[in-house]
Amino acid sequence: MRAANRENSAESSTPHREVKRVACIRCRQSKLRCDSPKHPCSRCARMNVPCTLDSGYKRVNKRSKIDELEKQLVTLRDAVQSQHPPVIVANLSTDVVGPVTVSHGANLALNFAPPLSQSSHTSIGSQYATNSNVALAVNHGARPAAQSIRAIDSIAFSLEEIDLLFNLFFEHHHPFFPLVQHEHSPDRVYESSPLLFWSIISIASRRHPEKSKILVYLTKSVTKLMWSTISAPPLTITAVQALLLLCMWPFPDFRIWSDNSLFLASIAVNSAIHMGLHRPQHLHEYIRYAGFERLPVDGHIKTWAACNIVAQYMSAFQGAPPLLGCFDWSIDRACEIGNHYTLPDDMRYHLILVKFCDRVTKIMSGNVSSPLGMPADGERVLLMNVLEDDLDTLEAQFSGKLSQLDIIHLVEARLYLRIFYFFDSTYTFHRRSGILKAYSTATEFITLANSSQANFNYLTHGPISTLRYLSAALAILIQVLSSNLSACVDHAAGAAFINAGLAALRIGSVESNDVFLRALEIYTYLWRMQQDDQEIKQQSPTLLIQSRLSASLLYDTLWKWRQYHVKGKTLEQTSSSGGGMTNDDPDLHYTELEAIDWTLFDNADWLWEIDNIPMTGPDVPG
């Protein structure tokens, strides 16, 4: 009884707690009293506007917003007065982007290159040309026009500009890497992923007549958007597609050390695994969130295949082990015919060849008993022969089915394989014949690249892999023509191929003084110096740098350029200083690691850093 009285006394002494009222958004922004929880409140009902309650809403300081817009206006006005960028329009808002109620602006006078078209022309003298009359096809299906203007930071694009740039991307860039759905409108793309939208705009702007002025604004803004998107996982499928496009068509850079493509490819692969794209039939067992856009099965497998393609490219170009790609069961099914995962031929052949390159990388880096991961010399000879036969078998299976772009991918795979002949050290005949095969493939690739530029602007609009394989081909030519193997080839024809490769690099370059224009100058300088070096012409081609798999060829070329320019001494002087190893071939010299001056790497800025180097023009004497 007493306990009950105590409870009643406690209840009567407890003060009654009133429910805290939350003002609606409009009343809170205006600092007015709101009679919520009545809905709508009296003020909103009187103004006939939506009444919204949000306990987490914070007032926006109008004064600070106005100050921010004024600063953007001043910055934009200064930019217009100094550079007159053609794509900046009056809309400065980066927050509110809606349907446009004004008429379209003036049409941009874009001198677009002709679209990829059907053509029976193939490279002259190509050993692969007789295998195919299939040309590179383009999907010309209608796409809904843009209905909303878009802006990023202080850069805004009108409806006509968006439509023109989207058309440029899908007609000239998309066929090289058909990942994004062609039929989606620009507005649909933006709603699925702003990063994908701006990636398409940025890639298309690379070949805009005023590309340098556009890219200087887009590079910083889109890069900031990219890191902002990455920092807020989980990523959507379309965001992953955007990262893949930015790996294949990155913004122009000036140093290979600052290239973040390998990092972005890793993020794309891990994000795809996180959302279950590698298990298309079991997506429901993986992450589920509001931003996940469920695509058809072919869209999922196509994105996963693209992740593997990009991962292989980026790891090969950086000389990294194959830790990114996951060529698994679903990729095997995508390469086959007649199942739910089968990819269209324009991507399936590409995937099969990249899968072969991944196999090459795993074989050439999988020896745990070797500090470089390479198989032993005797084993490597047998493995190279097996891989050559397997690639020949693939070529026979593809005979008559490949487009000219597919043929280029086939030559890329063969070039990638044959670079590893430079690593042989004891089997002289096998090494010599292999390097000469690599030389032949390098000339074939340069021929195909230039003829494809005439056919469908391959160098102008193709992905960055094009120029990287061009760089590898040029390095092979210079190595062979500046060695004792030059007697085995036509020296005049080789010099002509070098000229053609340097011209191709210039065509593919996006911006003045970018990586590939610097590479052009380096190759030109090295070629001229080695033509006057009679001692090196008595030696077989050597690689002083061998730790970066196929990319060792590029870095070795940079090393030798550095030796010529900075140290002022020939390669023979460097080799003889340590009494390097030799094998049965008296002309084949190898340098001990202790004999190399590794202090050259103390400052990595020397790579591609040729601003203060007096060099001649890009024309190379034949």
Side-chain angles (χ1 to χ4, degrees):
M1 193 69 176
R2 292 178 179 178
N5 291 336
R6 283 196 300 268
E7 291 178 2
N8 293 334
S9 175
E11 291 179 0
S12 61
S13 62
T14 302
H16 178 68
R17 294 183 178 179
E18 297 183 357
V19 179
K20 183 178 180 180
R21 296 191 300 174
V22 178
C24 70
I25 290 178
R26 291 183 179 275
C27 293
R28 185 179 297 186
Q29 178 65 30
S30 302
K31 289 187 175 181
L32 296 177
R33 183 178 181 82
C34 182
D35 54 2
S36 65
K38 178 182 177 181
H39 191 75
C41 68
S42 301
R43 181 170 178 266
C44 291
R46 184 175 68 255
M47 298 173 63
N48 194 23
V49 295
C51 183
T52 305
L53 296 178
D54 184 359
S55 59
Y57 176 77
K58 295 183 179 180
R59 292 181 64 254
V60 177
N61 190 324
K62 293 183 178 180
R63 182 66 252 175
S64 62
K65 185 63 176 177
I66 292 174
D67 291 341
E68 179 183 352
L69 292 176
E70 287 179 349
K71 291 179 181 179
Q72 291 182 0
L73 178 60
V74 172
T75 302
L76 184 59
R77 184 180 295 129
D78 294 341
V80 170
Q81 291 176 353
S82 60
Q83 297 188 12
H84 305 286
V87 298
I88 299 181
V89 296
N91 178 19
L92 302 180
S93 173
T94 60
D95 301 322
V96 181
V97 179
V100 178
T101 58
V102 297
S103 60
H104 288 185
N107 187 11
L108 288 178
L110 298 180
N111 296 321
F112 290 150
L116 298 172
S117 58
Q118 300 288 337
S119 172
S120 60
H121 175 73
T122 53
S123 61
I124 300 176
S126 170
Q127 59 179 317
Y128 307 98
T130 58
N131 292 342
S132 174
N133 289 321
V134 183
L136 187 61
V138 181
N139 183 2
H140 292 288
R143 184 189 318 104
Q147 300 297 321
S148 302
I149 59 176
R150 304 292 176 185
I152 182 169
D153 290 340
S154 298
I155 313 170
F157 289 79
S158 68
L159 297 182
E160 290 188 353
E161 291 169 334
I162 293 174
D163 286 333
L164 283 170
L165 291 172
F166 260 69
N167 289 336
L168 175 61
F169 173 81
F170 281 103
E171 290 180 9
H172 300 285
H173 297 86
H174 177 75
F176 295 104
F177 195 57
L179 174 60
V180 184
Q181 291 182 282
H182 180 275
E183 66 276 7
H184 285 179
S185 67
D187 299 289
R188 171 74 180 278
V189 172
Y190 187 89
E191 291 167 1
S192 64
S193 171
L195 179 60
L196 179 59
F197 175 89
W198 290 114
S199 298
I200 292 174
I201 292 293
S202 301
I203 293 170
S205 299
R206 293 158 63 93
R207 296 304 176 182
H208 190 283
E210 301 292 336
K211 57 184 179 298
S212 59
K213 296 180 181 179
I214 295 175
L215 286 180
V216 73
Y217 290 96
L218 286 176
T219 299
K220 182 178 180 180
S221 298
V222 178
T223 302
K224 181 175 68 176
L225 175 63
M226 178 190 70
W227 293 119
S228 174
T229 302
I230 292 173
S231 66
L235 302 185
T236 62
I237 294 181
T238 46
V240 170
Q241 292 176 346
L243 294 181
L244 298 176
L245 292 181
L246 290 176
C247 287
M248 296 298 277
W249 286 277
F251 288 108
D253 205 346
F254 306 106
R255 293 181 180 87
I256 58 177
W257 291 102
S258 57
D259 181 15
N260 56 21
S261 299
L262 186 66
F263 181 67
L264 297 181
S266 177
I267 293 175
V269 170
N270 288 313
S271 298
I273 294 175
H274 184 55
M275 65 181 68
L277 294 188
H278 63 305
R279 300 290 183 265
Q281 288 184 327
H282 302 275
L283 282 177
H284 60 282
E285 300 175 8
Y286 288 81
I287 190 168
R288 300 177 66 182
Y289 52 92
F292 183 81
E293 181 179 1
R294 189 174 293 274
L295 301 178
V297 174
D298 63 336
H300 292 157
I301 193 63
K302 183 181 289 187
T303 303
W304 177 236
C307 287
N308 283 266
I309 292 174
V310 172
Q312 165 57 30
Y313 272 141
M314 299 307 118
S315 60
F317 297 144
Q318 292 287 343
L323 302 178
L324 300 179
C326 300
F327 289 84
D328 55 1
W329 178 89
S330 57
I331 294 298
D332 287 342
R333 302 293 82 74
C335 294
E336 296 173 352
I337 301 177
N339 60 70
H340 294 297
Y341 303 104
T342 302
L343 289 173
D345 286 347
D346 58 352
M347 196 171 188
R348 186 169 66 89
Y349 293 135
H350 191 187
L351 180 62
I352 292 173
L353 292 169
V354 172
K355 181 183 175 184
F356 172 82
C357 292
D358 177 74
R359 181 185 167 205
V360 173
T361 307
K362 289 177 179 177
I363 290 176
M364 295 302 167
S365 62
N367 185 7
V368 295
S369 61
S370 168
L372 300 179
M374 286 279 186
D377 286 344
E379 182 182 0
R380 185 164 62 242
V381 170
L382 298 176
L383 290 173
M384 290 292 289
N385 291 334
V386 171
L387 292 171
E388 287 274 8
D389 292 340
D390 290 346
L391 189 55
D392 290 339
T393 301
L394 283 178
E395 182 184 351
Q397 292 175 353
F398 295 158
S399 178
K401 302 177 182 178
L402 302 182
S403 68
Q404 189 167 355
L405 180 59
D406 295 326
I407 293 173
I408 293 175
H409 292 153
L410 177 62
V411 179
E412 288 177 348
R414 199 175 296 280
L415 184 65
Y416 180 73
L417 170 63
R418 290 177 172 176
I419 288 175
F420 288 96
Y421 283 117
F422 282 88
F423 290 88
D424 284 343
S425 58
T426 57
Y427 293 86
T428 306
F429 175 77
H430 184 265
R431 185 176 193 272
R432 285 176 177 271
S433 61
I435 290 177
L436 290 176
K437 289 179 182 178
Y439 177 89
S440 176
T441 307
T443 60
E444 180 69 21
F445 182 77
I446 292 175
T447 302
L448 280 172
N450 281 282
S451 63
S452 299
Q453 170 65 16
N455 287 347
F456 48 84
N457 299 305
Y458 172 64
L459 298 170
T460 307
H461 300 294
I464 195 172
S465 57
T466 303
L467 301 182
R468 285 172 171 167
Y469 272 113
L470 265 176
S471 299
L474 283 168
I476 292 173
L477 295 183
I478 294 176
Q479 283 261 12
V480 172
L481 292 174
S482 301
S483 70
N484 62 357
L485 295 183
S486 61
C488 303
V489 298
D490 187 334
H491 193 278
F497 279 119
I498 290 180
N499 276 322
L502 294 175
L505 274 183
R506 181 174 293 278
I507 294 173
S509 174
V510 175
E511 195 172 85
S512 60
N513 205 35
D514 64 6
V515 164
F516 294 105
L517 279 185
R518 293 184 178 215
L520 183 152
E521 295 290 348
I522 288 176
Y523 283 130
T524 301
Y525 181 86
L526 185 62
W527 169 242
R528 283 178 170 164
M529 292 298 296
Q530 292 191 345
Q531 288 306 291
D532 298 331
D533 191 339
Q534 297 302 319
E535 294 182 353
I536 193 175
K537 287 185 176 182
Q538 304 302 317
Q539 303 176 11
S540 289
T542 59
L543 290 182
L544 299 179
I545 296 178
Q546 300 185 2
S547 62
R548 303 186 72 120
L549 298 175
S550 64
S552 299
L553 183 66
L554 170 64
Y555 286 90
D556 187 81
T557 302
L558 297 177
W559 177 274
K560 291 172 181 176
W561 163 78
R562 182 67 174 180
Q563 284 180 313
Y564 273 116
H565 181 77
V566 176
K567 293 299 182 181
K569 57 183 179 181
T570 64
L571 296 175
E572 176 63 23
Q573 289 172 328
T574 302
S575 300
S576 61
S577 64
M581 298 184 300
T582 61
N583 59 16
D584 296 336
D585 184 358
D587 293 328
L588 193 58
H589 298 278
Y590 296 91
T591 304
E592 296 282 3
L593 295 180
E594 294 78 5
I596 299 177
D597 182 10
W598 293 105
T599 58
L600 287 175
F601 276 136
D602 289 346
N603 180 9
D605 287 341
W606 64 265
L607 277 181
W608 307 109
E609 191 65 51
I610 58 176
D611 292 336
N612 300 321
I613 297 177
M615 290 189 177
T616 55
D619 298 327
V620 182

